[in-house]
Amino acid sequence: MKKLLALVLALAMVMALGMTALADGEIVSVMYGGGTPETMDPALNSASSGSNLIRLAFAGLMGTRVTDGVVTKEPELAESYTVSEDGTVYTFTLREGLKWSDGSDFYASDVVKSWNRAADEKLGASYGFLFDVIDGYGTGSLNVVADDAARTLTVTLNAPCAYFLELCGFTTFCPVKTELADDEGAWAVNPETYIGTGPFRVTSFKVDDVVTYEKNPYYWNADAVRLGGINAYLSEDSVAILAAYEADTISLAQTIDPAEFDRLNTQYPGELTMYDQIGTYYVLFNVHKDLSPEGKTFTQAENAKARYALGLMVNRQDLVDYVTMGGQVPATGFYPIGLGDGNTEVSRGEGSIYSTWYTGTATYSAEYPTYTEDQVEGIKILMDLGYSYTGSLETGDIKFTDVPGFEFSFNQNATNSAIVQYVQECWNLIGVNATINTEAWATLQTKLKAGDAEASRMGWVADFNDCVNFLEIFISNSGNNYPRLGQSVGDYTRYTENTKSAGLDACWGPNNDQSWADCYDALVAQIKNATDVEERAKLCAEAEDVLMATGAVAPLYYYTNPTMVKSNVKNLAILPTGDIVWNYAYIEN
């Protein structure tokens, strides 16, 4: 409690000092709850917690305007753009007089250099593959031509891309000053080299403490920026975050303990909002973990069935009703409801092209009333796979005795902790032992990228509203492909000879005889190049089925974004992608 009180007092002191130092506008203090991001480099970042910090200092060709609370997608660094008749050539005209936040001139050629850096395989950016829609990807030189005198940028795509303009507003596509950027991201924690084109600029970066920003006087629309600066505190502690908010030390709080929702709604009416969010919270399993019982060697298809069975054991309705309590919707597939597919929005049920993978998550079995219909299906799969057990479905006390235990990792906050413990208990009820391992978010990301996690909680919120954004997580060369589908074993050492090469084996697809590249990557490539919108939607549904059949992901629910915002904060935008736009916000005194 003393530590918490000290934090609140320190926040108040820093905020007061900031307001004195920058008298031209209010200083807002916020806590997103993501802790210290693994990186602040726009090209290297792959986490939403890092994205909202990066967006304060960087801008893309496209952006978001907020006028009297109305949100519109508009050109940002670009003044205008044109698209060729065949949809493959975009020509952007940049705004006149653009400058970096250090006052130096910004040119169209800076975009070319930045995009080529982000797309270069040598950099190893998790989102580098997003540039594969541009002609020349993989050659070291994207087909992007700058004319600095004319302030134009001409981009040639491989094929029409319905979401290209959204990519142009995504952080990976935000230009950086390449002559200052190293490949490790150290430049991104030094205010002297962290030079961007956004509405604010960093003045201080303190790990596990705070990133401070001041208004960027060189921002193209600086006259419209009314805040003097922002203090973004780096904490994952939901207790400290809420205490700071209730002490009026911060104006925005995320990562809130669901157990507090009722009280907060009563005590601070109108300040807690469950914002819409296009995202899926899920459990992932490393495909190199062998789930074979003692004395038996599973095929990779059998390991996939075992993983899928574990996913069926979670009562998703009870999870959102009694654990998360934030208006979330139980997941029935990986795509969240409402995600665009280029033709319409994803829906499930009768007449839909999209499968329903969990059908009885909250319906108790008429035959075996101790368990839900999904749980009965999962238990029967485990029985059919040959696991030993005591008890029975009839008596409602079944316990499997030889399902290998595994490590279940997560980054600590109140919501994650409650969810992981609930899922663990669902498994424990049938004798499956998952050992919880808590990690800092940056540490867990590093561990996942190295392949050294057996199972973990994970969430994905749309960077842009298209199924491709959810599918690309799991293509073979994606840095976010934590289950290691289509990838080598990495740093994981607890594999067996049976699963050492599971990710690379020809064991995937409808007949379990294709490599991941052949059955999944090829489908995603087809989707990217499809011009018939109905055919594209069918391919999106097929690709989700291929992914779900691996059992490597077990979607739990579709997100909402519970956020506390002080009532005097005006013209703030919190988007369904999770992005928070402070450019045009102000404090009403």
Side-chain angles (χ1 to χ4, degrees):
M1 185 57 70
K2 288 182 179 179
K3 183 178 180 181
L4 178 59
L5 179 60
L7 173 62
V8 173
L9 292 173
L11 288 170
M13 290 176 63
V14 171
M15 186 171 72
L17 288 171
M19 292 179 68
T20 302
L22 291 165
D24 62 333
E26 297 277 6
I27 307 299
V28 170
S29 292
V30 304
M31 282 181 151
Y32 295 126
T36 300
E38 183 183 16
T39 179
M40 290 275 284
D41 187 326
L44 294 175
N45 176 68
S46 62
S48 58
S49 57
S51 177
N52 273 319
L53 297 175
I54 290 167
R55 287 185 182 280
L56 294 172
F58 290 84
L61 295 177
M62 300 296 293
T64 302
R65 188 75 61 89
V66 188
T67 306
D68 296 329
V70 178
V71 177
T72 54
K73 296 283 187 177
E74 296 186 11
E76 176 77 1
L77 298 181
E79 180 180 78
S80 61
Y81 63 89
T82 60
V83 187
S84 65
E85 190 173 335
D86 67 357
T88 62
V89 180
Y90 285 71
T91 302
F92 297 90
T93 299
L94 301 191
R95 297 183 186 277
E96 189 173 2
L98 288 175
K99 292 185 180 296
W100 294 99
S101 58
D102 62 357
S104 58
D105 290 333
F106 178 92
Y107 298 103
S109 56
D110 289 323
V111 179
V112 178
K113 289 185 286 187
S114 187
W115 284 11
N116 277 317
R117 171 184 181 262
D120 192 338
E121 291 184 1
K122 293 178 182 177
L123 181 65
S126 295
Y127 277 130
F129 63 84
L130 289 176
F131 291 90
D132 67 0
V133 299
I134 301 176
D135 180 50
Y137 174 77
T139 68
S141 181
L142 298 171
N143 193 346
V144 182
V145 180
D147 184 332
D148 287 337
R151 309 196 318 276
T152 61
L153 191 76
T154 303
V155 186
T156 302
L157 307 183
N158 295 310
C161 178
Y163 52 89
F164 182 65
L165 288 176
E166 291 215 35
L167 288 178
C168 290
F170 183 47
T171 51
T172 307
F173 284 69
C174 290
V176 305
K177 208 167 188 178
T178 53
E179 59 267 33
L180 298 179
D182 57 73
D183 289 353
E184 291 74 39
W187 72 279
V189 295
N190 181 354
E192 294 182 5
T193 54
Y194 200 58
I195 306 301
T197 54
F200 302 94
R201 59 187 181 185
V202 170
T203 59
S204 174
F205 181 94
K206 297 178 181 178
V207 175
D208 295 335
D209 187 0
V210 63
V211 185
T212 59
Y213 301 79
E214 65 180 6
K215 178 179 175 178
N216 173 16
Y218 301 107
Y219 178 54
W220 74 270
N221 202 17
D223 289 347
V225 178
R226 298 176 62 174
L227 293 177
I230 292 179
N231 299 320
Y233 288 91
L234 308 175
S235 175
E236 295 180 87
D237 186 340
S238 58
V239 175
I241 291 170
L242 188 55
Y245 185 88
E246 295 196 82
D248 291 329
T249 320
I250 59 175
S251 295
L252 180 144
Q254 293 183 319
T255 313
I256 303 163
D257 187 343
E260 297 281 2
F261 288 163
D262 286 345
R263 179 182 70 82
L264 294 173
N265 276 322
T266 300
Q267 194 166 342
Y268 307 99
E271 295 186 22
L272 174 62
T273 301
M274 307 302 176
Y275 288 92
D276 291 337
Q277 198 163 30
I278 306 171
T280 302
Y281 191 107
Y282 60 100
V283 174
L284 65 88
F285 297 97
N286 188 332
V287 298
H288 296 97
K289 167 66 178 178
D290 196 340
L291 292 174
S292 304
E294 187 175 350
K296 187 176 176 65
T297 301
F298 276 175
T299 64
Q300 301 314 335
E302 288 174 321
N303 269 312
K305 288 181 180 179
R307 292 189 292 265
Y308 177 58
L310 293 176
L312 285 164
M313 296 313 302
V314 181
N315 185 325
R316 288 158 172 77
Q317 190 66 55
D318 280 359
L319 174 65
V320 300
D321 285 347
Y322 305 115
V323 180
T324 61
M325 298 183 290
Q328 297 89 352
V329 177
T332 51
F334 190 66
Y335 297 144
I337 302 299
L339 180 68
D341 60 16
N343 181 42
T344 182
E345 293 183 343
V346 172
S347 62
R348 302 185 194 274
E350 187 175 352
S352 172
I353 61 173
Y354 292 97
S355 301
T356 301
W357 287 83
Y358 310 109
T359 58
T361 187
T363 305
Y364 279 85
S365 169
E367 190 175 3
Y368 310 109
T370 303
Y371 306 103
T372 66
E373 291 177 355
D374 279 354
Q375 289 170 341
V376 170
E377 182 185 352
I379 290 169
K380 286 183 176 180
I381 290 173
L382 296 176
M383 287 176 168
D384 290 342
L385 287 170
Y387 289 108
S388 301
Y389 59 90
T390 61
S392 68
L393 279 167
E394 290 79 6
T395 54
D397 59 352
I398 197 161
K399 294 280 187 180
F400 290 95
T401 58
D402 57 356
V403 177
F406 51 89
E407 182 185 88
F408 189 20
S409 301
F410 77 104
N411 55 304
Q412 177 71 52
N413 65 45
T415 303
N416 287 340
S417 180
I419 293 168
V420 168
Q421 289 177 31
Y422 176 78
V423 174
Q424 181 193 38
E425 182 58 26
C426 288
W427 289 335
N428 282 343
L429 288 174
I430 60 164
V432 176
N433 179 37
T435 302
I436 290 179
N437 185 42
T438 307
E439 308 265 11
W441 177 226
T443 305
L444 179 57
Q445 281 186 285
T446 301
K447 185 174 182 176
L448 288 164
K449 287 179 179 179
D452 196 24
E454 293 191 319
S456 180
R457 58 70 48 188
M458 190 52 55
W460 191 265
V461 176
D463 301 311
F464 51 90
N465 189 9
D466 191 274
C467 289
V468 162
N469 186 227
F470 281 73
L471 293 174
E472 283 187 319
I473 307 168
F474 303 106
I475 60 175
S476 297
N477 67 345
S478 169
N480 299 306
N481 183 352
Y482 300 145
R484 312 291 290 187
L485 291 157
Q487 296 186 357
S488 67
V489 70
D491 290 351
Y492 183 58
T493 59
R494 285 162 285 179
Y495 58 82
T496 65
E497 285 303 310
N498 182 43
T499 59
K500 183 177 182 180
S501 61
L504 297 173
D505 287 345
C507 59
W508 310 107
N511 299 313
N512 307 119
D513 59 355
Q514 292 177 285
S515 70
W516 191 245
D518 287 341
C519 74
Y520 186 82
D521 294 0
L523 264 176
V524 176
Q526 282 184 266
I527 292 166
K528 286 184 173 183
N529 294 317
T531 55
D532 182 295
V533 292
E534 290 188 8
E535 179 60 27
R536 185 182 193 270
K538 291 177 182 177
L539 291 171
C540 287
E542 183 180 346
E544 185 192 38
D545 286 345
V546 170
L547 172 65
M548 288 295 296
T550 68
V553 295
L556 299 182
Y557 62 78
Y558 303 133
Y559 273 105
T560 56
N561 189 9
T563 305
M564 294 286 290
V565 183
K566 296 294 183 182
S567 58
N568 64 345
V569 177
K570 304 299 182 182
N571 218 38
L572 178 71
I574 300 180
L575 307 182
T577 55
D579 298 322
I580 300 180
V581 182
W582 287 99
N583 306 33
Y584 307 103
Y586 62 92
I587 304 300
E588 185 177 73
N589 293 318

